[in-house]
Amino acid sequence: MSRLALLLIIIPTLVFSQSRKKKALLEEMSFSIEPNVRVMKAIGDNSMNKALSPFVGFGIGGILHIYKNFGLTAEYNYMTANLSQDNQGGLFGYMSAATMHNVEFSGVYNYNMSETVNLEGLAGASIYRVSSKFIDKGGKFNEGNSGFHIGGKILYTLDREGVQQVVFGTKLNYYTASIRNQNPDIEKFYSKAWFLNFSAAYRINF
């Protein structure tokens, strides 16, 4: 009888304790949206740097602040780049402006420096889709690739409630494509690239 009474005390206590922890976690969670403009420039000895001008475009992202200063983000960006005048008809043939669709998923850590300034560090996976049209022979050039990124942001809060923030960010993006060639130098030149990524955004916190 005493064991039954003990179980009747312990089980509700555990259930209540877990429900309180779950409620506290949900209360800490919040959400933000972040429209942005950005410039992404390839660096080093690779086809993206030699053949294309910097990618310029815009995007939108969402941030789920999960626990304390940690969160998760998802972001979509649309950018365009012109073929370099020095490489018209060279590396890729005669093409129109290239477009890039970029989707990124990141883990985020937010550090509060002051009442108005925050720093964020982020790292995650990237998906790229580059496409263009061949002007001289018709048809399309399409390339879907993956990679990763690492970077940081500085946030300046505009109001006392902390709802509106201006965000400036920089990232290092790694791009890799499924291109094979018997010459490893040629394969590396066309299939891998590093990008410097600069952005300005307006964040709304809910």
Side-chain angles (χ1 to χ4, degrees):
M1 194 71 179
S2 60
R3 291 182 178 179
L4 179 61
L6 188 61
L7 286 173
L8 290 175
I9 294 171
I10 292 174
I11 292 174
T13 303
L14 290 174
V15 172
F16 180 70
S17 175
Q18 291 300 318
S19 65
R20 287 185 63 184
K21 288 180 181 179
K22 185 176 180 180
K23 184 178 179 181
L25 181 60
L26 289 174
E27 286 177 350
E28 284 193 23
M29 292 176 65
S30 61
F31 182 73
S32 305
I33 60 171
E34 189 177 297
N36 69 77
V37 292
R38 66 183 54 246
V39 177
M40 198 161 80
K41 169 63 175 150
I43 56 176
D45 186 24
N46 57 75
S47 61
M48 289 292 176
N49 186 23
K50 301 298 183 181
L52 298 173
S53 66
F55 282 92
V56 180
F58 58 90
I60 188 166
I63 306 99
L64 181 62
H65 308 277
I66 298 176
Y67 181 68
K68 294 188 181 294
N69 296 333
F70 293 93
L72 296 172
T73 72
E75 184 175 276
Y76 167 76
N77 301 297
Y78 173 83
M79 294 167 282
T80 62
N82 292 319
L83 206 63
S84 171
Q85 293 296 324
D86 296 334
N87 288 282
Q88 285 287 349
L91 293 175
F92 292 106
Y94 292 96
M95 296 197 305
S96 61
T99 62
M100 178 185 286
H101 299 271
N102 168 230
V103 178
E104 296 189 334
F105 303 95
S106 311
V108 178
Y109 179 78
N110 187 295
Y111 176 73
N112 187 8
M113 291 189 66
S114 67
E115 291 184 358
T116 57
V117 179
N118 289 60
L119 296 179
E120 275 187 356
L122 64 147
S126 304
I127 301 170
Y128 311 92
R129 165 66 69 175
V130 179
S131 61
S132 185
K133 292 182 179 180
F134 289 106
I135 297 174
D136 54 343
K137 56 186 177 181
K140 284 187 176 182
F141 168 83
N142 285 294
E143 198 171 72
N145 311 293
S146 60
F148 61 86
H149 61 272
I150 185 169
K153 296 180 180 180
I154 183 167
L155 299 85
Y156 181 77
T157 303
L158 300 175
D159 56 354
R160 292 182 179 179
E161 294 77 16
V163 174
Q164 303 175 80
Q165 292 177 304
V166 175
V167 184
F168 299 98
T170 182
K171 285 188 291 189
L172 187 63
N173 285 66
Y174 179 68
Y175 170 100
T176 179
S178 299
I179 296 175
R180 298 289 179 263
N181 192 282
Q182 292 181 347
N183 187 321
D185 292 331
I186 294 176
E187 180 177 317
K188 182 180 179 181
F189 182 81
Y190 283 97
S191 65
K192 303 182 188 304
W194 288 94
F195 287 89
L196 282 177
N197 193 328
F198 300 97
S199 63
Y202 172 69
R203 181 179 293 186
I204 305 172
N205 300 306
F206 297 94

